[in-house]
Amino acid sequence: MKPENPVVWFEIYVNDIKRAQKFYQEVLDLQLSELPTPEDLDEEMQMLAFPMDMEKDGASGALVKMEGIEAGGNATLVYFRSKNCAIEENRIEKAGGKILKSKQSLGQYGYMILALDTEGNMFGVHSLK
């Protein structure tokens, strides 16, 4: 059995989602599509997804406008694959990191956590359970 790719999703945080949409569509010659905001999410958020095929290997992602998270600096977020992101959440502080968002539901898209590594980089962990 070959190992799975560890990265499953990325997010590029933006301040002006329409301006960012125009930029990426022009530069990459593709169309972004609106993703519905999960009902269970605590924050107000807008997402425009890059093209994706859930049946193929590799990662896709989205432009994201979320209250409280500014563009620039560390505004690109990588999500790592997990069977249950609560497992990694329990390891983060022990390893010297910090939990930013505890495990929360993404509705039909599963669950996620957000954390900082020991260098101050934000990353996510995603699971279906």
Side-chain angles (χ1 to χ4, degrees):
M1 184 168 107
K2 71 178 189 175
E4 294 179 334
N5 292 327
V7 177
V8 296
W9 184 254
F10 67 85
E11 294 177 352
I12 300 172
Y13 285 85
V14 301
N15 293 327
D16 183 329
I17 199 158
K18 292 295 180 195
R19 180 177 62 207
Q21 177 182 21
K22 182 179 184 294
F23 173 80
Y24 282 100
Q25 286 183 163
E26 285 182 16
V27 170
L28 301 175
D29 191 28
L30 50 73
Q31 293 297 306
L32 294 148
S33 58
E34 189 170 341
L35 277 179
T37 303
E39 293 176 16
D40 297 339
L41 201 61
D42 295 335
E43 292 84 13
E44 195 169 314
M45 178 172 74
Q46 289 178 279
M47 297 178 79
L48 294 172
F50 288 87
M52 66 179 96
D53 182 342
M54 300 301 278
E55 301 301 314
K56 293 185 178 175
D57 256 357
S60 189
L63 299 179
V64 179
K65 180 171 176 48
M66 182 185 286
E67 188 177 317
I69 299 182
E70 293 294 315
N74 193 34
T76 301
L77 184 58
V78 173
Y79 280 82
F80 295 96
R81 183 187 317 267
S82 172
K83 294 204 184 296
N84 182 338
C85 60
I87 295 167
E88 287 81 5
E89 181 177 5
N90 289 328
R91 297 176 183 155
I92 289 168
E93 290 182 344
K94 293 174 191 168
K98 179 180 176 185
I99 304 295
L100 295 177
K101 300 267 183 200
S102 288
K103 184 177 178 179
Q104 62 182 359
S105 173
L106 298 172
Q108 67 182 10
Y109 303 109
Y111 298 87
M112 56 82 79
I113 63 165
L114 290 177
L116 290 177
D117 68 14
T118 57
E119 309 307 305
N121 295 309
M122 184 166 56
F123 68 94
V125 180
H126 174 267
S127 62
L128 294 176
K129 294 183 188 181

